[in-house]
Amino acid sequence: MAHPLYDNALVKWVDHRMPIFSLYRHSLGDQYPAPRNLNYWWNFGSLAGLVLVTMIVTGILLAMHYTPHTSMAFSSVERIMRDVNYGWLIRYIHANGASFFFIVVYIHIFRGLYYGSYKAPRELLWMLGVVILLLMMATAFMGYVLPWGQMSFWGATVITNLFSAIPVVGKGIVTWLWGGFSVDNPTLNRFFSLHYLLPFLIVGVVVLHVWALHQFGSNNPLGIDRKGPQDSIPFHPYYTVKDMFGVGVFLVVFAAVVFFAPNYMGHPDNYTPANPLVTPPHIVPEWYFLPYYAMLRAVPDKLGGVIVMFASIAILFVLPWLDTSRVKSASFRPIYRIFFWILAIDCVVLGFCGAKPPEGIWVIISRLGTLWYFAHFLVLLPLLGFLERPSPLPQSISEPVIKGGGAIAGARAAPMEKA
Amino acid sequence: MAGGSTTTSAHAGSHGSSGGGDGASRRDFLALTGNALLAVGAGSVGYAFVDYMNPSADVLALASTEVDVSQVAPGMSITVTWRGKPVFIRHRTAEEIKAAETVNAKDLPDPAVDKDRVKKKELLVLVGVCTHLGCVPLGQKVGDLRGEFGGWFCPCHGSHYDTSGRIRKGPAPANLEVPAYDFVSDKVIRIG
Ligand code: HEM
Ligand code: FES
């Protein structure tokens, strides 16, 4: 579609032959209508994109000075830290960027859980998001192996050994993953190769994710569909500005950590070179894996633990069909809202358990936490759709604005059709 | 296209019994055999791609190690490397041997009798890798924790092994592995 809006002759010329400017305007510009009521929780998608780009740029720079060999990996990273110009900065951005990537994406996911963004017609969008999460986990896990410290080595050993729980073929799979009989140079090499590759696969899935998003547009805090143009505003300039503001706030926090506490989220043992003969007394994964690690250890059976851990993510794929309520936003679901917060707390508690030695009270809390996590998705969500009485939904997104005062408008609204 | 109909029409075609079906059935036959060969080709190339990631010849070539065990006094342990993994060699004391032998194998999580796990009673040779998730258990050094059964203790998730390297308590599913080894002479063993 030609827009008379292009003043620049060159832009006009290009856009006529390859409508790349129009594509942009329809995707993220002034031609893309977005719900007018998005709140700040909607900033985290674009933030995740920003962090992904940051990781790729800093990663490619690191790779220019990094050596993927067991005899040199550790010292090449130390060289980056000490001798390479601004190497410390690039590495600290990359290492902390991974943590912030997970912070941002976890908030993004919980936003989806709260506002029911996974519900029809956005199931596929949600599932693509879960695929991105899995790819991120694989990428971060392999990245953490690259500096070849003690935690790198033993984290790699413990995680790859998870596959040995698979009956019959498990051991063969582990040897195949390693390319040897233990985590060693072939393992480090292939992890580097894959660590370089996966972020670009993530970019590919992000494209699909955004494509699926644009089919129906963003969900919104009310969780009701847009009824007409009065419910939308153009993405640009309104949400570009709002996103930029979020970027500013994010960068302040990110920079504070990179410059003042760059090792806060790391583990000191990873500044000890890998030693295949000595396991550190207390190995823990990076913080973003702790809840899964707690679930793994909560089950006293090796295979069972592995299954439960993977199931905790797999369950997110079927979430759109486990939640039987047709009301999306938790703002109108008084009971779900409570359970949402309990789930959030449960995940944090599991995280704490994952960091503690698997003894005494921690094992018990891990077990209860794991049980609750699964009960939330498998028991509560299916039942709530039938048992819960949602509060009345507003007629439209713009109604509370136009009539003034959300509460009054909400009360006046006709009761929703029974779900 | 359904496989069944393909074969029937190919069959009909070969007898030349279906007028006008001839061309179609020949095409079906070519499609079927073509696709079958494609699958075989893709499969065999795919096999190479997958096997590429398995241990290479040089890694396999490092698969044996010789160790002089004559210097290992009773009660002492040494750790050697074999295929990149630690191997525990413990010269067991009389009490340790007795403790290992008197257990009723049937009561163990992974039943095994001590005499099947050693070539010489005194010398216990084990792969020092926890069968849970691969940490190296403690118990080789003098001050180390040895767990409730006096053998080894894995700190990662709390597995206890006895003086025969058998799993007694904790999440590990199996006993510490006994590698293949031989006595090359009285003093030297070859692992692998
Ligand atoms: C999804 C995006 C990415 C994530 C989540 C990620 C994560 C990580 C993590 C957690 C580390 C360990 C940091 C440390 O403790 O030292 C790391 C290291 C590394 N990454 Fe990435 N990475 C990403 C993208 C990339 C890309 C695209 C490259 C390009 C080659 C790359 C190259 C490296 C290199 C060379 C190292 C080793 C140096 C070091 O340890 O600082 N990364 N990555
Ligand atoms: S690795 Fe030894 S108990 Fe888990």
Side-chain angles (χ1 to χ4, degrees):
Chain A
M1 214 183 322
H3 293 287
L5 300 158
Y6 297 115
D7 298 331
N8 186 306
L10 181 63
V11 170
K12 223 181 246 171
W13 188 90
V14 171
D15 203 72
H16 184 65
R17 285 153 182 83
M18 179 182 71
I20 187 163
F21 296 101
S22 297
L23 176 71
Y24 177 77
R25 291 172 64 173
H26 285 285
S27 312
L28 290 167
D30 56 354
Q31 303 288 317
Y32 176 49
R36 62 190 298 159
N37 60 336
L38 298 185
N39 60 27
Y40 276 108
W41 298 112
W42 265 260
N43 278 55
F44 289 86
S46 66
L47 282 180
L50 173 77
V51 182
L52 178 59
V53 172
T54 308
M55 295 306 286
I56 289 178
V57 172
T58 52
I60 290 172
L61 290 176
L62 285 173
M64 295 179 187
H65 279 286
Y66 170 79
T67 313
H69 190 280
T70 50
S71 66
M72 286 166 79
F74 186 88
S75 41
S76 74
V77 172
E78 283 308 299
R79 210 187 125 259
I80 291 172
M81 296 294 290
R82 291 151 202 257
D83 294 345
V84 176
N85 298 335
Y86 291 103
W88 57 272
L89 179 63
I90 303 298
R91 174 165 182 250
Y92 279 154
I93 291 177
H94 197 76
N96 288 290
S99 279
F100 276 86
F101 203 2
F102 279 93
I103 293 174
V104 167
V105 166
Y106 282 151
I107 293 176
H108 188 65
I109 292 173
F110 274 90
R111 186 279 317 259
L113 290 177
Y114 189 87
Y115 294 110
S117 302
Y118 49 86
K119 292 186 195 187
R122 297 186 182 80
E123 302 95 322
L124 199 56
L125 170 61
W126 171 262
M127 292 161 84
L128 287 165
V130 181
V131 172
I132 294 172
L133 176 65
L134 284 172
L135 287 171
M136 275 174 66
M137 293 167 80
T139 308
F141 160 65
M142 289 194 266
Y144 194 58
V145 176
L146 302 184
W148 209 242
Q150 273 290 65
M151 281 298 164
S152 301
F153 183 89
W154 290 102
T157 299
V158 167
I159 301 302
T160 47
N161 262 307
L162 291 178
F163 293 91
S164 71
I166 302 168
V168 191
V169 292
K171 269 206 150 157
I173 291 180
V174 174
T175 306
W176 177 75
L177 288 173
W178 288 340
F181 301 103
S182 59
V183 173
D184 209 331
N185 199 51
T187 327
L188 177 60
N189 263 301
R190 63 188 55 185
F191 277 19
F192 181 50
S193 169
L194 293 173
H195 184 70
Y196 211 134
L197 168 70
L198 291 192
F200 295 92
L201 291 189
I202 296 180
V203 170
V205 184
V206 167
V207 169
L208 298 181
H209 188 73
V210 174
W211 188 5
L213 170 69
H214 282 67
Q215 186 71 6
F216 294 99
S218 298
N219 183 28
N220 64 79
L222 295 177
I224 56 176
D225 292 340
R226 280 175 278 166
K227 302 268 162 24
Q230 73 281 7
D231 289 344
S232 297
I233 46 176
F235 189 86
H236 181 75
Y238 297 104
Y239 287 117
T240 30
V241 160
K242 193 166 179 169
D243 278 351
M244 286 314 287
F245 178 70
V247 165
V249 174
F250 171 81
L251 287 181
V252 168
V253 181
F254 185 45
V257 173
V258 166
F259 289 108
F260 297 109
N263 290 305
Y264 179 72
M265 289 182 277
H267 197 292
D269 273 345
N270 222 27
Y271 283 106
T272 312
N275 178 353
L277 298 187
V278 180
T279 310
H282 187 62
I283 53 171
V284 278
E286 293 280 87
W287 69 265
Y288 36 82
F289 292 137
L290 289 173
Y292 315 103
Y293 196 55
M295 294 196 202
L296 169 76
R297 299 188 307 182
V299 184
D301 176 73
K302 179 168 160 181
L303 180 59
V306 174
I307 291 174
V308 163
M309 190 180 76
F310 283 110
S312 68
I313 303 277
I315 208 166
L316 296 177
F317 278 110
V318 288
L319 170 62
W321 295 274
L322 290 174
D323 187 339
T324 49
S325 170
R326 265 197 257 160
V327 177
K328 289 196 185 104
S329 173
S331 307
F332 303 101
R333 299 188 60 190
I335 307 180
Y336 172 72
R337 190 160 63 221
I338 298 168
F339 285 125
F340 166 86
W341 287 110
I342 297 180
L343 180 76
I345 294 166
D346 185 43
C347 291
V348 175
V349 168
L350 279 170
F352 274 101
C353 294
K356 299 287 178 198
E359 301 159 354
I361 184 77
W362 296 111
V363 178
I364 299 168
I365 301 177
S366 308
R367 289 193 181 148
L368 292 175
T370 307
L371 213 63
W372 183 267
Y373 182 89
F374 284 95
H376 176 91
F377 290 107
L378 294 175
V379 182
L380 287 172
L381 285 190
L383 286 182
L384 274 186
F386 299 99
L387 301 181
E388 182 181 47
R389 205 185 141 66
S391 37
L393 292 171
Q395 288 285 345
S396 78
I397 291 175
S398 51
E399 185 205 49
V401 185
I402 291 162
K403 298 204 176 145
I408 305 161
R412 250 194 248 138
M416 53 150 306
E417 341 77 278
K418 187 82 186 106
Chain B
M1 125 188 66
S5 72
T6 311
T7 40
T8 19
S9 58
H11 179 78
S14 68
H15 285 272
S17 58
S18 65
D22 259 344
S25 61
R26 184 193 298 230
R27 184 171 293 172
D28 284 351
F29 174 77
L30 287 174
L32 186 72
T33 48
N35 283 328
L37 277 174
L38 193 68
V40 171
S44 37
V45 173
Y47 178 81
F49 277 50
V50 170
D51 197 42
Y52 179 85
M53 287 175 70
N54 267 322
S56 53
D58 62 321
V59 171
L60 292 171
L62 296 174
S64 77
T65 308
E66 294 199 356
V67 192
D68 179 352
V69 293
S70 61
Q71 300 304 312
V72 190
M76 215 179 113
S77 299
I78 59 166
T79 307
V80 296
T81 316
W82 171 63
R83 290 171 157 190
K85 291 181 193 175
V87 168
F88 294 166
I89 302 175
R90 183 179 286 184
H91 190 148
R92 298 190 293 182
T93 60
E95 300 90 78
E96 285 173 339
I97 298 172
K98 193 158 163 247
E101 284 178 341
T102 49
V103 183
N104 187 351
K106 283 201 208 85
D107 304 338
L108 301 177
D110 180 11
V113 280
D114 186 58
K115 82 172 170 6
D116 297 340
R117 296 176 54 79
V118 288
K119 298 225 153 121
K120 282 186 189 167
K121 265 190 194 175
E122 303 78 43
L123 205 70
L124 180 64
V125 182
L126 300 168
V127 176
V129 172
C130 180
T131 58
H132 184 225
L133 296 175
C135 293
V136 177
L138 299 170
Q140 288 296 91
K141 292 206 213 85
V142 179
D144 277 359
L145 285 174
R146 291 192 166 184
E148 291 172 24
F149 300 87
W152 289 267
F153 171 69
C154 182
C156 287
H157 317 98
S159 290
H160 300 251
Y161 296 93
D162 68 11
T163 56
S164 188
R166 291 170 299 199
I167 179 67
R168 300 295 287 271
K169 189 179 164 189
N175 301 333
L176 291 179
E177 188 192 336
V178 178
Y181 66 96
D182 286 313
F183 281 87
V184 182
S185 69
D186 268 0
K187 291 182 172 176
V188 177
I189 62 169
R190 188 179 51 225
I191 307 167

